[in-house]
Amino acid sequence: MPLDQDFNEYPYDEPTQEHQDEPHEDGTEMSFLEHLEELRWHIIRALAAILVFGLVAFIFIKDIYRVVILGPSRPDFWTYQQMCKLADFTGYADLCVKKLDFKLQALGMADQFTMSITSAVIIGLCFAFPYAFWELWRFIKPGLRTSERRAARGATFYVSMLFLMGLFFGYYIVSPLAINFLANYQLDESIQNQYDITSYIGTLITLCVGCAIMFQMPVVAFVLSKVGVLTPSFMRAYRKHAFIVILIISGLITPSPDIYSQVLVSLPLAILYEVSIWVSGSIERARLKELAENAKNDVQNSDFS
């Protein structure tokens, strides 16, 4: 696996020519301003990809709104259908969503137009995220040493995969549960739920993007373990505390009081935490192996001397 590499095969303290500053044709190294210029072009290409996907999304924005964005606001949404099947299986009838008692409205004259632009930009960012991250990674990667590059092999794939998994998890699991609870919650039957479209879109974006960020937990664990801030023993020692925090987070992002909703959200986060422990352990084992090999080499060198 890319996160469990043999660092002894690639000495940590020997930067290769590929990791040094890229030289000009005359052999001189790139200046600080030239590195900034290089970064600027990477950012421009990443933004261009977001713009292209955003324009495509804006062209089909009405279909996207009808099928995708407004999907969780209707009882025939895929998640609600599965919840009804789960209700039939468990006998817990309250799980089945048969009605979402609210209406969406645009209060401002330009609200629908501005929200279509905002939604197109967010959609463009989500679809272009793998390419945008790859562009930034291309700028960072030459500055890493050989062992670091080998350890971080496949970073674009893993980061993008976790981002998309979190995005789909937020869209199909977290958002429907939250919208269902908030739409059917009433202090009194005389009070009607009529939400502004900006409030609905803001909630949907926050939940989906928030889950996409939370799913980066193994990547964060990898980076912190590489710099020596995080260890697997620390994560194991505070596993119970972490699970309590996960349950609290699950309760916040799924205000529904039933236990099934909280379990559906907390279970993937708990699995990600265990994966993060494994990732941190892989980094620690590689570091200990490297130290043992270095110590062995020092002993051999002292014997020869």
Side-chain angles (χ1 to χ4, degrees), residues 8-302:
N8 302 308
E9 188 178 350
Y10 303 94
Y12 182 83
D13 293 325
E14 283 189 17
T16 61
Q17 181 66 29
E18 190 176 4
H19 302 130
Q20 298 174 359
D21 291 339
E22 297 179 4
H24 295 289
E25 293 181 357
D26 57 1
T28 60
E29 294 181 353
M30 295 176 63
S31 65
F32 175 73
L33 292 179
E34 288 172 327
H35 278 293
L36 288 181
E37 177 69 12
E38 184 70 18
L39 175 61
R40 185 173 74 92
W41 280 108
H42 283 292
I43 294 176
I44 288 175
R45 286 191 289 267
L47 292 177
I50 296 174
L51 179 61
V52 170
F53 280 102
L55 288 174
V56 174
F58 186 76
I59 293 173
F60 299 98
I61 195 65
K62 291 185 177 180
D63 294 329
I64 292 174
Y65 257 80
R66 184 178 66 255
V67 177
V68 180
I69 296 178
L70 296 179
S73 68
R74 292 190 293 265
D76 60 350
F77 188 59
W78 180 85
T79 303
Y80 300 139
Q81 294 179 358
Q82 304 308 312
M83 290 175 63
C84 288
K85 293 180 180 178
L86 182 61
D88 294 337
F89 178 77
T90 59
Y92 190 66
D94 291 340
L95 277 178
C96 185
V97 178
K98 298 180 180 179
K99 181 182 179 182
L100 292 171
D101 192 14
F102 72 97
K103 293 182 180 180
L104 294 175
Q105 56 184 347
L107 300 179
M109 183 174 294
D111 279 358
Q112 295 196 53
F113 178 71
T114 55
M115 287 310 300
S116 63
I117 295 177
T118 303
S119 302
V121 172
I122 298 298
I123 294 171
L125 174 62
C126 293
F127 277 93
F129 178 82
Y131 177 79
F133 180 82
W134 179 71
E135 280 290 346
L136 295 178
W137 178 247
R138 285 177 59 199
F139 177 78
I140 298 173
K141 188 176 180 180
L144 302 179
R145 298 180 182 276
T146 305
S147 58
E148 294 170 337
R149 294 183 64 195
R150 294 287 297 180
R153 187 181 61 185
T156 301
F157 170 77
Y158 289 116
V159 170
S160 301
M161 179 186 67
L162 290 172
F163 180 86
L164 295 176
M165 286 175 60
L167 198 65
F168 283 110
F169 178 75
Y171 177 74
Y172 283 104
I173 303 298
V174 178
S175 295
L177 295 177
I179 291 173
N180 172 50
F181 174 77
L182 296 174
N184 292 305
Y185 183 83
Q186 286 183 309
L187 294 173
D188 188 83
E189 294 182 356
S190 62
I191 304 175
Q192 295 182 347
N193 289 328
Q194 296 181 354
Y195 304 129
D196 184 12
I197 184 64
T198 57
S199 176
Y200 173 83
I201 300 299
T203 301
L204 187 64
I205 291 175
T206 300
L207 293 175
C208 292
V209 177
C211 288
I213 294 175
M214 283 195 302
F215 267 57
Q216 300 299 319
M217 191 188 305
V219 177
V220 175
F222 172 77
V223 174
L224 294 180
S225 298
K226 284 293 293 181
V227 299
V229 176
L230 194 64
T231 61
S233 58
F234 175 84
M235 298 184 70
R236 294 190 186 98
Y238 288 91
R239 179 186 275 118
K240 295 181 179 179
H241 303 78
F243 286 167
I244 293 175
V245 173
I246 288 174
L247 289 174
I248 293 175
I249 294 175
S250 302
L252 291 175
I253 62 180
T254 56
S256 177
D258 62 272
I259 189 63
Y260 294 102
S261 301
Q262 196 168 8
V263 170
L264 285 174
V265 176
S266 60
L267 185 59
L269 296 180
I271 294 175
L272 285 174
Y273 187 82
E274 294 297 327
V275 172
S276 300
I277 294 178
W278 177 82
V279 170
S280 181
S282 300
I283 300 299
E284 185 177 55
R285 287 193 298 271
R287 184 184 295 113
L288 293 176
K289 186 176 181 180
E290 181 183 10
L291 292 175
E293 188 67 23
N294 291 337
K296 181 179 179 180
N297 293 335
D298 291 340
V299 172
Q300 292 178 348
N301 293 334
S302 63

